[in-house]
């Protein structure tokens, strides 16, 4: 087992939506789930972290050597966290890790990732600083933050991971390890709502539905990104390289009229500002009660 195992009292209430005899749809079964925080462990976490990385990269996951990136994350067992509910031997429900792009740039999986990020930043005027950094002869010591969680896992599991990461980076620096970062780059994802192709193809009589707004609103898979971007030097979304099938957005719609179109999202934070950003995220996602 890793050096720490924490139970922070976080719980998730899952509703099973069973109606009672009165026919009311307001009565639900409540399940409280206790989350535990562990160090990443090569013996048990490869499959879980790889699956979460594939979810994070979405349709572009096929571009990367996700297995090699997973191995790289697991080669840093004292840096980063996994979140589980059924003990150490189970798959992670969430994870957070950081990779030093300068130190790892010669590894093929990281070199491919840097090339991808450089291409996305270079094509986006809102990511000019990041494009400049990644275009330098020697890549600066940028800490690439990779984090993802299963869709129903509450966002409250995130602040403890970030707080522990800051502590772990501090301990690593005391040991003269290469984790002094000039910037942190959060690789995340957002989505917009678009008109459903299924509704357009359905010619049955139906009420007129409200389509997606002309100025599409961006929604966050990770609510903490709203806080991080307030501390960012720059941030922006980007389209995935892999073309999506026409039905891809409808495959992600869940009990709603509009389809869901995911896109990548990057947040560049100046190194000295990261700790304050994490503190604000902790306040923003503080459990009620």
């Amino acid at each position: 087992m890793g050096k720490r195992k924490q139970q922070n009292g976080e719980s998730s209430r899952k509703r099973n939506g069973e109606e009672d005899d009165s026919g009311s749809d307001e009565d639900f079964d409540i399940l409280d789930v206790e989350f535990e925080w562990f160090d990443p462990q090569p013996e048990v976490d490869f499959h879980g972290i790889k699956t979460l990385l594939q979810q994070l990269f979405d349709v572009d996951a096929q571009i990367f050597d996700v297995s090699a990136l997973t191995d790289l994350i697991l080669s840093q067992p004292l840096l980063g966290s996994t979140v589980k509910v059924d003990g150490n031997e189970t798959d992670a429900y969430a994870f957070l890790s950081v990779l030093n792009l300068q130190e790892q740039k010669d590894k093929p999986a990281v070199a491919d990732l840097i090339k991808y990020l450089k291409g996305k930043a270079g094509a986006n005027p809102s990511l000019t600083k990041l494009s400049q950094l990644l275009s330098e002869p020697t890549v600066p010591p940028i800490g690439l933050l990779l984090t993802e969680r299963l869709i129903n896992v509450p966002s409250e599991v995130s602040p403890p991971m970030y707080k522990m990461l800051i502590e772990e980076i501090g301990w690593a620096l005391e040991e003269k390890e290469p984790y002094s970062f000039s910037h942190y780059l959060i690789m995340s994802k957002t989505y917009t709502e678009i008109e459903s192709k299924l509704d357009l193809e359905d010619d049955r009589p139906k009420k007129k539905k409200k389509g997606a707004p002309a100025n599409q609103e961006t929604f966050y898979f990770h609510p903490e990104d709203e806080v991080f971007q307030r501390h960012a030097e720059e941030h922006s979304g980007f389209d995935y390289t892999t073309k999506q099938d026409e039905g891809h957005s409808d495959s992600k719609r869940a009990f709603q009229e509009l389809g869901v179109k995911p896109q990548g999202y990057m947040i560049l934070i100046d190194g000295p500002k990261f700790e304050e950003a994490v503190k604000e995220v902790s306040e923003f996602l503080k459990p009620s009660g």
Side-chain angles (χ1 to χ4, degrees), residues 134-146:
L134 295 178
S135 298
E136 292 183 10
T138 300
V139 176
I142 298 172
L144 177 64
L145 288 162
L146 299 172

Side-chain angles (χ1 to χ4, degrees), residues 5-10 34-38:
K5 172 183 176 183
Q6 287 199 347
Q7 293 190 13
N8 286 24
E10 306 286 0
E34 293 294 329
F35 291 98
E36 300 173 293
W37 283 256
F38 294 91

Side-chain angles (χ1 to χ4, degrees), residues 159 162-163 166 227-228 231 273-286:
Y162 278 105
K163 288 191 289 186
I166 288 175
V227 176
F228 280 128
H231 293 262
K273 296 182 179 179
F274 181 64
E275 186 169 352
E276 185 60 33
V278 169
K279 290 178 182 178
E280 189 172 329
V281 165
S282 298
E283 288 298 314
F284 181 69
L285 295 177
K286 181 182 296 183

Side-chain angles (χ1 to χ4, degrees), residues 11-71:
S11 65
S12 171
R13 294 188 172 185
K14 297 187 69 175
R15 297 179 173 180
N16 293 332
E18 296 180 353
E19 295 184 6
D20 62 12
D21 293 338
S22 67
S24 170
D25 60 358
E26 295 299 323
D27 294 327
F28 298 94
D29 291 337
I30 301 299
L31 177 63
D32 287 329
V33 178
E34 293 294 329
F35 291 98
E36 300 173 293
W37 283 256
F38 294 91
D39 295 314
Q41 297 163 78
E43 298 81 7
V44 296
D45 286 327
F46 179 84
H47 176 73
I49 291 179
K50 180 180 177 180
T51 298
L52 289 169
L53 279 175
Q54 290 171 329
Q55 177 178 304
L56 174 64
F57 296 143
D58 207 273
V59 293
D60 277 357
Q62 60 188 289
I63 296 175
F64 308 113
D65 187 343
V66 180
S67 293
L69 289 172
T70 303
D71 284 334

Side-chain angles (χ1 to χ4, degrees), residues 11-283:
S11 65
S12 171
R13 294 188 172 185
K14 297 187 69 175
R15 297 179 173 180
N16 293 332
E18 296 180 353
E19 295 184 6
D20 62 12
D21 293 338
S22 67
S24 170
D25 60 358
E26 295 299 323
D27 294 327
F28 298 94
D29 291 337
I30 301 299
L31 177 63
D32 287 329
V33 178
E34 293 294 329
F35 291 98
E36 300 173 293
W37 283 256
F38 294 91
D39 295 314
Q41 297 163 78
E43 298 81 7
V44 296
D45 286 327
F46 179 84
H47 176 73
I49 291 179
K50 180 180 177 180
T51 298
L52 289 169
L53 279 175
Q54 290 171 329
Q55 177 178 304
L56 174 64
F57 296 143
D58 207 273
V59 293
D60 277 357
Q62 60 188 289
I63 296 175
F64 308 113
D65 187 343
V66 180
S67 293
L69 289 172
T70 303
D71 284 334
L72 190 53
I73 289 169
L74 291 172
S75 71
Q76 305 177 140
L78 301 183
L79 203 65
S81 303
T82 60
V83 179
K84 304 181 180 183
V85 297
D86 293 317
N88 180 49
E89 299 299 321
T90 59
D91 285 341
Y93 279 48
F95 88 98
L96 168 68
S97 190
V98 61
L99 299 178
N100 187 331
L101 294 184
Q102 184 181 76
E103 287 292 314
Q104 310 289 357
K105 67 181 184 303
D106 293 328
K107 292 183 169 59
V110 176
D112 289 342
L113 189 53
I114 292 174
K115 180 180 178 181
Y116 176 88
L117 297 173
K118 180 180 175 181
K120 296 301 182 184
N124 190 329
S126 296
L127 295 173
T128 300
K129 177 64 175 180
L130 177 60
S131 178
Q132 293 172 348
L133 290 171
L134 295 178
S135 298
E136 292 183 10
T138 300
V139 176
I142 298 172
L144 177 64
L145 288 162
L146 299 172
T147 184
E148 184 60 293
R149 50 184 177 265
L150 296 181
I151 196 67
N152 289 327
V153 172
S155 54
E156 286 82 2
V157 305
S158 180
M161 290 197 293
Y162 278 105
K163 288 191 289 186
M164 286 186 281
L165 180 66
I166 288 175
E167 291 178 353
E168 291 160 350
I169 289 174
W171 297 331
L173 291 176
E174 291 176 2
E175 299 296 324
K176 310 299 182 184
E177 295 184 28
Y179 294 108
S180 178
F181 298 120
S182 63
H183 295 80
Y184 289 87
L185 176 61
I186 300 173
M187 191 169 183
S188 191
K189 58 194 294 190
T190 59
Y191 67 93
T192 55
E193 293 179 333
I194 62 174
E195 191 168 4
S196 170
K197 294 292 184 182
L198 296 179
D199 291 338
L200 292 175
E201 294 169 359
D202 187 356
D203 58 1
R204 293 173 299 177
K206 55 182 179 289
K207 293 181 180 179
K208 184 178 180 180
K209 294 181 179 180
K210 182 179 180 181
N215 295 322
Q216 294 178 330
E217 181 180 359
T218 297
F219 299 92
Y220 298 87
F221 285 108
H222 300 162
E224 61 270 25
D225 289 346
E226 293 188 70
V227 176
F228 280 128
Q229 74 177 29
R230 293 202 290 265
H231 293 262
E233 193 164 342
E234 58 187 19
H235 58 88
S236 185
F238 60 89
D239 290 330
Y240 291 120
T241 300
T242 304
K243 300 302 179 184
Q244 302 175 9
D245 295 334
E246 291 228 344
H248 185 77
S249 296
D250 282 311
S251 71
K252 294 179 178 292
R253 72 188 267 197
F255 309 109
Q256 60 186 39
E257 294 181 356
L258 298 175
V260 172
K261 181 184 178 182
Q263 66 171 178
Y265 190 69
M266 289 189 280
I267 307 172
L268 182 69
I269 301 176
D270 192 48
K273 296 182 179 179
F274 181 64
E275 186 169 352
E276 185 60 33
V278 169
K279 290 178 182 178
E280 189 172 329
V281 165
S282 298
E283 288 298 314

